Amino acid sequence: MATPSHRDAILDQFTRQAVPFSTAPGVKDEQALRLLVESSGAGPDDTVLDVACGGGLVVCAVARVVRHATGIDLTPAMIERARALQEERGLGNVTWRLGDVLPLPYADGSFSIVTSRFAFHHFLEPGAVLAEMKRVCSPGGTVVVADTDASADPAKAAEFNRMEKLRDPSHVRAMPRTELTELFAQVGLPAPRTTGYRLEGELESLLGRSFPLPGDADRIRQLFAASVEDDRLGIPIRREGDAIRYAYPVAVLVAVTDDGRGVAGVIDGAPPVGVETDADVAGRRRLLRDIGYKL
């Protein structure tokens, strides 16, 4: 559970970020959302929970495929933004809930798919949140985590997290993919299938939708400029004329829960979660085309 000071930081940051964050090109990118929907294996019989749902982008993307989707978030302004997006897209199979994620206010096994995107670096206890996601996921269901993939170099990861804390005081810690993977084992989930992509953008645009403390924006600019030369942040950064462009690596981890028979990582007799057949991918792509996604 968030401490009072951390809770206050989240509410402060994401009340102000509700619109800028939700409308940022990289965050609302349809291709990235499609990757998450495809990775989850979502279909018409599924019920989905998105943890720390923010402005509802994941919920509204997956709602086009599934029976019902639910989003929970701590920040009222984010839930308001999510409801506006739902109305804009004419979705009737969506529910929103204002609340904390520790513990999740749902019974065991309530959802067949449980997701969380761009939230784990804000959690004080990411392992506890993942354990809650597993608890509310039904036997044989799917747990999906997408978050920033920090450098495997501890010094670079620490510098990246220092920069992100300056940019967003509610930031706690982005983990490297290997550490995110280890969390799955710690809570009793099988080794996740992993994929990833890059969230690309331009530094001044990023700062324009961020709310650092006075004076910290210039410190962030200095860190990015230095990283162009020495890679101190451990992420791809380059200059284009007067602009600095970046690419935050994003890891997407997917695991299937034990189905109650002691079998984890298997979907309807298909190969384990690390092995996906061409037929699986083709079937989901057909479904996504049918409901209007461009592939």
Side-chain angles (χ1 to χ4, degrees):
M1 182 178 294
T3 64
S5 60
H6 185 58
R7 181 188 181 96
D8 289 345
I10 289 174
L11 289 170
D12 173 66
Q13 284 290 313
F14 284 99
T15 296
R16 292 190 282 176
Q17 290 183 36
V19 174
F21 177 81
S22 300
T23 57
V27 175
K28 69 175 186 177
D29 180 71
E30 285 289 327
Q31 186 174 355
L33 288 165
R34 184 169 63 245
L35 172 64
L36 195 69
V37 173
E38 287 189 353
S39 296
S40 73
D45 294 328
D46 283 308
T47 55
V48 179
L49 173 66
D50 189 39
V51 173
C53 67
L57 288 163
V58 171
V59 170
C60 289
V62 77
R64 299 166 68 181
V65 180
V66 301
R67 177 160 56 89
H68 195 274
T70 299
I72 182 170
D73 199 274
L74 182 64
T75 306
M78 282 294 190
I79 293 294
E80 289 174 14
R81 176 66 191 170
R83 288 196 175 106
L85 183 63
Q86 175 194 357
E87 183 176 353
E88 175 186 318
R89 298 193 178 176
L91 297 167
N93 61 333
V94 169
T95 299
W96 308 106
R97 182 157 183 170
L98 182 67
D100 207 339
V101 299
L102 277 180
L104 287 168
Y106 304 102
D108 295 1
S110 295
F111 304 91
S112 60
I113 298 173
V114 184
T115 65
S116 184
R117 186 179 78 139
F118 300 154
F120 264 55
H121 59 272
H122 290 288
F123 296 148
L124 293 173
E125 301 175 89
V129 176
L130 186 59
E132 278 292 281
M133 291 172 67
K134 176 193 173 190
R135 179 185 66 78
V136 302
C137 190
S138 59
T142 304
V143 174
V144 183
V145 173
D147 202 24
T148 309
D149 183 4
S151 173
D153 181 319
K156 292 179 180 180
E159 192 72 348
F160 175 81
N161 280 306
R162 185 169 78 88
M163 179 277 297
E164 280 290 275
K165 184 75 172 177
L166 291 172
R167 188 183 68 81
D168 177 357
S170 70
H171 178 89
V172 176
R173 180 172 172 266
M175 292 175 278
R177 184 181 306 207
T178 52
E179 191 172 342
L180 278 169
T181 300
E182 288 168 1
L183 283 184
F184 279 68
Q186 290 170 18
V187 303
L189 285 166
R193 181 176 71 247
T194 62
T195 186
Y197 63 95
R198 290 181 174 183
L199 195 161
E200 300 185 357
E202 188 271 328
L203 177 58
E204 292 305 315
S205 295
L206 176 65
L207 290 174
R209 59 178 182 270
S210 302
F211 299 91
L213 297 176
D216 283 347
D218 285 339
R219 296 172 66 189
I220 294 165
R221 291 185 181 98
Q222 292 167 6
L223 287 168
F224 270 80
S227 194
V228 172
E229 305 300 328
D230 61 19
D231 190 36
R232 67 179 59 189
L233 298 178
I235 64 172
I237 298 176
R238 70 184 190 280
R239 287 192 180 274
E240 282 189 3
D242 293 333
I244 293 180
R245 299 197 62 83
Y246 62 84
Y248 280 29
V250 178
V252 181
L253 298 87
V254 184
V256 176
T257 64
D258 191 312
D259 67 357
R261 299 173 297 171
V263 179
V266 176
I267 303 175
D268 295 334
V273 70
V275 181
E276 187 168 46
T277 68
D278 291 341
D280 293 332
V281 175
R284 280 205 297 280
R285 286 183 175 273
R286 283 195 298 271
L287 177 61
L288 290 164
R289 286 194 193 97
D290 289 345
I291 52 87
Y293 275 112
K294 295 180 180 179
L295 300 175

